Structure formats: C-alpha cells, structure tokens
Amino acid sequence: MLGMSRRTILGAAIVTLLSGVVGATAAQAGNMRIAFGDLPGIESIQTLAAIERAKERGVNVDLIILNDEDLAAQAIVGGQADVGIGAPYTLIQKAGVPIRIFAQISTLRFFPVVNSEVYKTWEDLNGQDIAVQARGSGTEAVMLLMAKNHGISYGTVSYVPGSEVRRNALIQGTIKASIVDAANRRALEAEAPGKFIVLPVENLSASDEALFATEAYLQSGAADVDILVEELLATAREITDNPAVAVELRKKYNLLPELGAEADAEITAYYTETAEAGALALNGGGADAAADDFAFFSLAGQIEGDVASLKVEDFWDLAPLDRAVAKLGAR
C-alpha cells in the first residue's frame, strides 16, 4: 500500500507551509521556480527525477508544491513561479499573460470509478455528484466529455486534489463516483475487490501533464528550460525501456520517502503498465500532441472555437522541444 495517512499529512503540511511563502520563494535566488499543482505520488517520479537531474546540471530549481492545478497556473500568471505543470488550455485562451506549453510529460490515463452498490453505468450518474482533481484539469475534462458522450449531466462537481485522496474517499464511502489514476485504480481493486466498477472510456491521447511558462521566461530562461526538457525526455525514455528504473531513480534521489520501501513493487507495476500504454511522452508531444489536445479539450468544452481554426503557436512554443529532440534524437 502507498502509506495514505503519511502522504496526506505530508501533503497538508507542505501546502500549509507554502501557502504563506510562495511570495517569499519568488524573491529567492534561483534559475527556475516550478509550481507543481498536485500532491506528488508515484506517478510523479519521472518528473521529480528529471528535476533532480536538471539540478545536477546546474539548474537551481525551487519546487513549489501546491495541491491544485489552478494555484499552479495562478502562480505563473502572477509571476510567483517560472514553470507550471498541468494542461492549461483554458487558461491560455483566457489569461492576459501570454503562456505557452513547451513539453508534454504524459498523456491521460484516468479511470472513472463508481461504487458498484450505487451505480453501474454512465447513465446512472445523471444528476449525481462526482469528484475530480481540479477545475480545468484533465480529470474534469474526461468526466465532462463522457457526460456529453452519454447524454447526461452531473449534479455537483466537487474538486478534490490528489488521486490518492479521492481513492481514500471512495473506500470510506464519502465519495461514490470519482476518477483516479492507474496506481490508485490498482489500489482500489486490491483493497476492495468487487466494490468498485471502472466505467468505460474511449481511447484518449490528450495531455495529462505538460510543462508551461510565459513567453518571456521561455526566452530569458532558455538555457535552463533546455536542460529540463532534455532530462524529462531522457527520463521518460529510460523508464519506458525499463520500468524498474523508476525504483532506481526513487532510491537515488530519495523521492517520496514518506511512502516507504513497500511502495517499490507498486511503482514498478505502475510504470510497467504506463510503459505498455505508451503514456510517457518520449518526444515531448509537440504539434501532434497539440492536435490531439485541441480535439479532446474542445469536445470537453475547455477550449472555445472551431478546432480547425486553432493554431499550435497560440498554445505551444515548440522551440525547446525542437532543440532537445535535435540533441537526443527522435524516438
């Protein structure tokens, strides 16, 4: 198991601490301030390891943990962070600050889960309450798209950051319908066999997490951005080739120590499944990922306008990826 109580306590402590010091962090010396809009879990090992490797190459990274993608986006808009992690398509269309995605980390692999004692199908969720990660998140987009596809509408949509937090709420019965990542889907199946049903979802290839920043930072911090992108791609490729590398990286950099050594088997299983699904972006996404994202987020109602009229350059800055792929080679 993943040490739920320890992780929740740790996450709450970090968020409480950072809620008072994000402004102070902005004043500290450092090449790159990264706003992470989630509580890190085993699905974050690739990103966390890439950050550690960037540090080894001289990038002085301040990692700001915020348990909400909205807060991470706001930190970029407000100048309190340089790089954000998420899929901020709605923000890019609506914010006055020119923000661009510059690398895809992973594609969506979320699993809508319902308590089988209450619901059996998508249609059963008509008018019912659900819980997702955050406003504008990939989890919300998946659930909105499925509602549209099945001709239903939800009751209250609650925002509950942390896939593991939502998993625990499902186990406790405080949430009856939600959406979780692969690791927590596996945990639900192990902890409560037969209690939950994973509702079917059509194939998705849209971005789950991506790196984004203002155009100004992508120019002024280009050297640091290039290092981060190179390490992100290198780490994704290594883990995809050999999922056990994720455990090696965790040990090397002491990542997520609060989960304990017992999490290693789950980490290997998670990244084996992720590698088989091709969910890590080996070339960082780019124009092809943008096209997939336009289709998905438009259907989900998070991007406005005709998909055919949307321009990659209005949402992405491809230059960092182009430089990284030219250096590392394409996969």
Side-chain angles (χ1 to χ4, degrees):
M1 296 299 98
L2 300 182
M4 173 61 204
S5 60
R6 286 176 292 165
R7 180 180 168 192
T8 303
I9 292 169
L10 175 70
I14 291 173
V15 171
T16 300
L17 174 64
L18 287 173
S19 65
V21 301
V22 170
T25 302
Q28 295 173 359
N31 302 94
M32 182 182 292
R33 296 160 294 156
I34 299 178
F36 200 137
D38 198 356
L39 301 181
I42 65 175
E43 73 286 350
S44 309
I45 287 175
Q46 174 212 358
T47 304
L48 296 175
I51 290 171
E52 292 301 319
R53 288 174 156 183
K55 290 180 181 179
E56 291 176 340
R57 293 178 60 186
V59 182
N60 183 16
V61 178
D62 288 328
L63 183 60
I64 306 169
I65 306 296
L66 302 166
N67 72 335
D68 190 310
E69 290 182 21
D70 280 347
L71 294 177
Q74 290 169 23
I76 302 300
V77 173
Q80 297 164 320
D82 303 308
V83 173
I85 298 176
Y89 281 92
T90 301
L91 173 71
I92 291 172
Q93 273 199 332
K94 296 182 178 180
V97 178
I99 291 170
R100 295 292 181 268
I101 296 167
F102 61 92
Q104 183 188 69
I105 299 173
S106 58
T107 55
L108 288 167
R109 290 199 69 239
F110 288 119
F111 301 86
V113 176
V114 296
N115 187 316
S116 63
E117 298 170 355
V118 185
Y119 310 120
K120 304 290 186 185
T121 67
W122 280 109
E123 287 69 26
D124 292 339
L125 291 181
N126 190 40
Q128 303 304 306
D129 299 340
I130 65 167
V132 301
Q133 167 76 16
R135 191 181 305 277
S137 66
T139 59
E140 183 184 51
V142 171
M143 296 301 280
L144 291 176
L145 179 58
M146 291 303 103
K148 183 178 293 187
N149 288 351
H150 291 272
I152 63 174
S153 59
Y154 304 120
T156 300
V157 178
S158 299
Y159 300 106
V160 182
S163 190
E164 191 171 331
V165 176
R166 296 192 298 279
R167 178 196 102 204
N168 191 56
L170 284 163
I171 290 289
Q172 294 178 340
T174 55
I175 291 175
K176 300 294 193 299
S178 189
I179 181 167
V180 298
D181 60 22
N184 285 287
R185 185 215 73 218
R186 291 169 56 86
L188 283 171
E189 292 169 349
E191 293 173 9
K195 183 175 181 180
F196 300 99
I197 294 174
V198 177
L199 297 179
V201 176
E202 292 79 2
N203 289 333
L204 300 174
S205 56
S207 295
D208 175 15
E209 290 188 338
L211 299 176
F212 61 95
T214 63
E215 288 184 323
Y217 181 74
L218 288 172
Q219 293 180 10
S220 66
D224 296 328
V225 166
D226 283 358
I227 290 172
L228 178 62
V229 173
E230 289 168 16
E231 294 304 331
L232 186 72
L233 298 190
T235 304
R237 295 174 181 190
E238 290 177 29
I239 292 175
T240 297
D241 290 342
N242 178 13
V245 167
V247 173
E248 296 174 10
L249 291 170
R250 182 197 182 205
K251 293 177 179 178
K252 179 178 180 179
Y253 296 113
N254 194 31
L255 303 175
L256 308 174
E258 72 280 2
L259 298 185
E262 63 270 19
D264 286 347
E266 181 65 24
I267 290 168
T268 300
Y270 171 79
Y271 280 102
T272 297
E273 184 176 324
T274 299
E276 290 172 351
L280 300 186
L282 305 187
N283 293 308
D288 290 342
D292 290 336
D293 288 349
F294 291 163
F296 172 73
F297 288 107
S298 292
L299 285 172
Q302 294 188 357
I303 299 180
E304 298 175 355
D306 177 29
V307 173
S309 69
L310 298 174
K311 299 178 180 179
V312 174
E313 60 268 26
D314 290 339
F315 294 85
W316 281 69
D317 181 344
L318 299 177
L321 271 184
D322 290 342
R323 293 191 293 266
V325 172
K327 182 175 180 178
L328 301 177
R331 283 283 300 269

